[in-house]
């Protein structure tokens, strides 16, 4: 009787599931045909004379970070190489005009585009804001990016689609429904094997709250959720025709998760090294004040509190009269209200530690002012754990500061490595080691510091704009065949 009941329930359920699956396939196929028809109508009469549409998905293209520098350099590179293309940027920056965005790219990054860019302004960018998803943030933002991608696809169907900001879940959408050739530039894996190990080992981090680490049950549940998300992430990422990653660290994670080694290559991000190399390098004159400069956006993973605490520790242990006074200058971009609140919290931390007079905040500053601060600095400071690459680290080295970065990720594997067997900078891991290493750098004779700065400068040529252009064009070539 039980078996009959089970069969009577199971068979209709299976039949219904099959019907629903067929309906879904037919629906998706219909949508694809509709989008293809829309694309054909918009490109009617193209006959090889109308430009090829190359679209970049970059919802925050007006932000001032390293990812945006990659975007504008990539567009300029394609404009140089291919005359018969129109570059399109999908953006959510509706508070600025296209002209203002392009002008901002020139002002911040010293990048002048050869031809105009077409901007597609998206209305649903709020769907990828982390603040919208207090729980299951990775999954929420990824699903949100699918809806944002759908809006982008409806507004403009390109020939070639490149996700340049890490929204991998948009890739199948453009490939299978949009019929586009698809590529991506991965700055940072949405999930990494390191993140899995943090949850597995119950470590407390900015993305792994204490209430989870203290509970074995919550930790197991979060680990299962992370494994499920990593599986989905690998699935969508493997749809790419071309995958570019920005460092050896990112490469290792993407190969492990996406398993798309045949079409994956390392393309170091373009760093404006020449502009910084133009800064004269000479032995420091005796000065009454030394500055330590940090260049990175005010985001939680950049770990600015570690910089302030290490600096406070350095000041506390510095014997009065033994050294000149020290200044910490925090330079970075603020993208939104959350970033501004973060800066306010950092200022409160400075007051709490009694270092407010010795710490300066310089937010969204022009390129020339950034250059001036780096030219005057002795130490360049960077504290992000597992920084995927670290354009700010390269800029500090090119400008002639003695770099002190985190002993992980891109800085450890690619940047702060010996050049021709000589020291190019220093690495640290926690408050104590950062404070000790800063003290050690200041204790060195100026001639020794100059030697390290010269070694660092010689090593950064492999991160130049020209090097990026060459490797980027080589990587995207399959998309243009």
């Amino acid at each position: 009787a039980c078996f009959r009941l089970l069969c009577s329930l199971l068979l209709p359920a299976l039949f219904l599931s099959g019907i629903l699956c067929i309906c879904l396939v037919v629906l998706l196929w219909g949508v694809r045909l509709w989008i293809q028809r829309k694309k054909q109508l918009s490109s009617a009469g193209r006959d090889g004379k109308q430009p090829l549409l190359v679209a970049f998905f970059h919802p925050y293209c007006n932000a001032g970070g390293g990812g945006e520098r990659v975007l504008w350099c990539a567009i300029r590179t394609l404009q140089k190489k291919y005359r018969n293309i129109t570059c399109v940027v999908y953006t959510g920056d509706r508070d600025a005009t296209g002209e203002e965005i392009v002008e901002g790219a020139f002002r911040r990054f010293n990048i002048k585009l050869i031809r105009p860019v077409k901007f597609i302004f998206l209305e649903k960018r709020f769907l990828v804001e982390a603040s919208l998803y207090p729980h299951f943030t990775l999954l929420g933002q990824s699903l949100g990016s699918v809806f944002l991608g759908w809006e982008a696809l409806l507004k403009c169907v390109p020939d070639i689609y490149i996700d340049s900001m890490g929204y991998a879940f948009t890739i199948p959408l453009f490939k299978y429904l949009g019929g586009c050739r698809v590529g991506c530039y991965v700055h940072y894996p949405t999930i990494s094997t390191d993140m899995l190990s943090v949850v597995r080992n119950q470590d407390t981090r900015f993305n792994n709250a204490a209430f989870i680490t203290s509970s074995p049950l919550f930790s197991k549940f979060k680990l299962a959720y992370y494994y499920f998300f990593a599986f989905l992430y690998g699935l969508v990422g493997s749809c790419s025709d071309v995958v570019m990653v920005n460092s050896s660290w990112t490469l290792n994670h993407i190969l492990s998760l996406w398993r798309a080694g045949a079409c994956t290559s390392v393309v170091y991000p373009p760093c404006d090294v020449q502009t910084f190399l133009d800064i004269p390098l000479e032995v420091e004159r005796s000065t009454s004040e030394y500055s330590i400069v940090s260049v990175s956006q005010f985001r939680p993973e950049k770990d600015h509190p570690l910089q302030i605490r290490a600096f406070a520790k350095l000041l506390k242990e510095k014997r009065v009269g033994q050294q000149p006074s020290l200044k910490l200058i925090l330079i970075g971009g603020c993208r939104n209200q959350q970033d501004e609140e973060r800066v306010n919290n950092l200022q409160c931390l400075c007051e709490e530690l009694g270092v407010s007079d010795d710490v300066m905040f310089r937010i969204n500053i022009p390129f020339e002012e950034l250059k001036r601060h780096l030219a005057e600095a002795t130490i360049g400071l960077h504290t992000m754990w597992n920084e995927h690459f670290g354009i700010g680290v390269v800029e500090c080295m090119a400008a002639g500061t003695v770099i002190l970065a985190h002993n992980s990720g891109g800085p450890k594997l690619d940047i702060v490595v010996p050049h021709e067997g000589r020291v190019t900078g220093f690495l640290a891991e926690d408050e104590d080691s950062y404070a000790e290493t800063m003290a050690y750098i200041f204790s060195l004779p100026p001639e020794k510091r100059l030697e390290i700065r010269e070694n660092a400068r010689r090593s950064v040529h492999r991160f130049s704009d020209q090097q990026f252009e060459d490797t980027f064009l080589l990587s995207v070539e399959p998309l243009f065949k």
Side-chain angles (χ1 to χ4, degrees):
C2 286
F3 179 72
R4 281 181 191 166
L5 179 64
L6 191 64
C7 286
S8 66
L9 292 173
L10 189 61
L11 290 172
L14 287 172
F15 179 72
L16 189 62
S17 300
I19 293 291
L20 287 173
C21 285
I22 291 166
C23 289
L24 184 62
V25 169
V26 170
L27 178 66
L28 291 174
W29 186 252
V31 170
R32 179 186 164 92
L33 290 175
W34 173 64
I35 289 173
Q36 293 305 303
R37 178 71 180 148
K38 190 178 176 183
K39 183 178 180 179
Q40 283 167 5
L41 289 172
S42 67
S43 60
R46 185 174 285 194
D47 64 14
K49 291 180 183 175
Q50 282 287 90
L52 201 67
L53 287 183
V54 182
F56 289 84
F57 191 76
H58 209 106
Y60 295 90
C61 75
N62 204 28
E68 288 66 59
R69 187 163 212 289
V70 170
L71 170 71
W72 302 119
C73 263
I75 290 173
R76 184 180 63 183
T77 302
L78 291 179
Q79 288 180 341
K80 273 189 206 173
K81 167 81 173 176
Y82 300 101
R83 301 193 69 81
N84 194 37
I85 65 164
T86 293
C87 288
V88 176
V89 177
Y90 297 115
T91 178
D93 293 301
R94 292 185 299 144
D95 56 347
T97 64
E99 291 78 14
E100 286 169 343
I101 292 171
V102 170
E103 173 56 35
F106 177 65
R107 187 170 49 84
R108 287 178 186 140
F109 306 118
N110 207 28
I111 294 170
K112 196 157 187 68
L113 300 179
I114 297 162
R115 294 193 295 280
V117 169
K118 182 182 177 184
F119 289 93
I120 304 293
F121 290 94
L122 306 175
E123 294 171 21
K124 297 182 176 64
R125 189 177 71 178
F126 68 91
L127 291 173
V128 297
E129 293 277 356
S131 56
L132 192 64
Y133 312 100
H135 307 293
F136 302 100
T137 312
L138 293 180
L139 193 59
Q141 283 182 293
S142 297
L143 292 175
S145 74
V146 175
F147 287 101
L148 190 63
W150 175 246
E151 183 193 346
L153 187 59
L154 289 184
K155 287 185 172 177
C156 175
V157 185
D159 299 293
I160 295 170
Y161 171 79
I162 299 173
D163 164 41
S164 52
M165 211 179 162
Y167 293 107
F169 282 73
T170 62
I171 293 169
L173 193 67
F174 280 83
K175 182 168 184 173
Y176 298 115
L177 293 186
C180 312
R181 280 159 278 168
V182 296
C184 60
Y185 187 97
V186 184
H187 298 275
Y188 197 81
T190 305
I191 192 165
S192 66
T193 49
D194 286 337
M195 287 166 70
L196 291 169
S197 67
V198 162
V199 178
R200 196 185 302 113
N201 300 333
Q202 294 179 245
D203 293 339
T204 303
R205 300 259 178 183
F206 78 90
N207 57 356
N208 197 35
F211 81 90
I212 289 174
T213 58
S214 60
S215 165
L217 181 65
F218 282 159
S219 288
K220 282 186 175 63
F221 180 74
K222 185 168 184 177
L223 190 61
Y225 157 57
Y226 266 20
Y227 273 115
F228 170 68
F229 183 82
F231 168 74
L232 291 180
Y233 183 58
L235 214 56
V236 297
S238 63
C239 298
S240 300
D241 299 314
V242 164
V243 181
M244 294 166 280
V245 297
N246 65 345
S247 69
S248 305
W249 181 86
T250 308
L251 175 70
N252 294 336
H253 288 285
I254 288 298
L255 289 179
S256 158
L257 292 163
W258 291 11
R259 305 190 187 282
C263 61
T264 305
S265 56
V266 176
V267 178
Y268 288 131
C271 308
D272 194 11
V273 293
Q274 195 50 56
T275 306
F276 293 106
L277 291 171
D278 291 341
I279 297 169
L281 201 61
E282 50 197 34
V283 179
E284 305 152 24
R285 301 180 193 89
S286 56
T287 176
S288 59
E289 184 178 277
Y290 283 134
S291 66
I292 301 160
V293 168
S294 156
V295 183
S296 54
Q297 285 186 314
F298 290 100
R299 301 206 302 257
E301 64 270 22
K302 298 296 181 182
D303 207 352
H304 288 90
L306 174 57
Q307 298 179 2
I308 294 165
R309 291 182 190 281
F311 179 69
K313 197 173 188 69
L314 175 69
L315 290 184
K316 192 178 176 184
E317 292 176 1
K318 180 170 76 75
R319 289 176 203 157
V320 181
Q322 190 183 24
Q323 289 178 341
S325 65
L326 303 177
K327 256 298 184 255
L328 174 62
I329 304 168
L330 303 179
I331 300 172
C334 269
R335 302 162 301 169
N336 48 38
Q337 195 181 338
Q338 285 97 330
D339 287 358
E340 285 165 18
E341 285 170 11
R342 218 163 274 125
V343 171
N344 290 337
N345 291 338
L346 292 171
Q347 287 168 335
C348 291
L349 178 63
C350 290
E351 284 176 26
E352 188 187 310
L353 296 172
V355 294
S356 292
D357 296 339
D358 304 299
V359 180
M360 278 174 62
F361 288 83
R362 307 297 297 129
I363 297 156
N364 297 333
I365 61 173
F367 183 77
E368 284 306 313
E369 189 181 339
L370 165 69
K371 195 173 165 182
R372 180 171 56 78
H373 282 300
L374 285 174
E376 294 167 359
T378 301
I379 293 176
L381 194 60
H382 199 270
T383 46
M384 180 176 167
W385 171 73
N386 270 342
E387 170 71 91
H388 38 302
F389 179 73
I391 288 180
V393 175
V394 174
E395 289 176 345
C396 286
M397 290 166 76
T401 68
V402 179
I403 191 68
L404 173 55
H406 199 280
N407 189 27
S408 63
K412 179 183 181 178
L413 296 174
D414 293 311
I415 306 172
V416 191
V417 294
H419 178 68
E420 294 173 356
R422 293 175 180 162
V423 174
T424 56
F426 299 90
L427 299 167
E429 289 181 9
D430 52 25
E431 193 180 308
D432 289 340
S433 58
Y434 268 100
E436 284 165 19
T437 311
M438 282 191 279
Y440 172 73
I441 292 167
F442 284 121
S443 73
L444 293 170
E447 294 78 18
K448 182 64 182 170
R449 277 200 295 267
L450 179 64
E451 190 185 307
I452 294 167
R453 292 156 70 204
E454 285 173 340
N455 294 340
R457 273 197 156 183
R458 279 192 289 269
S459 75
V460 297
H461 286 286
R462 63 213 158 97
F463 307 124
S464 66
D465 283 4
Q466 188 56 54
Q467 193 68 27
F468 169 81
E469 288 183 12
D470 295 343
T471 52
F472 178 77
L473 286 174
L474 203 62
S475 297
V476 298
E477 200 177 342
L479 298 177
F480 289 85
K481 284 178 178 173

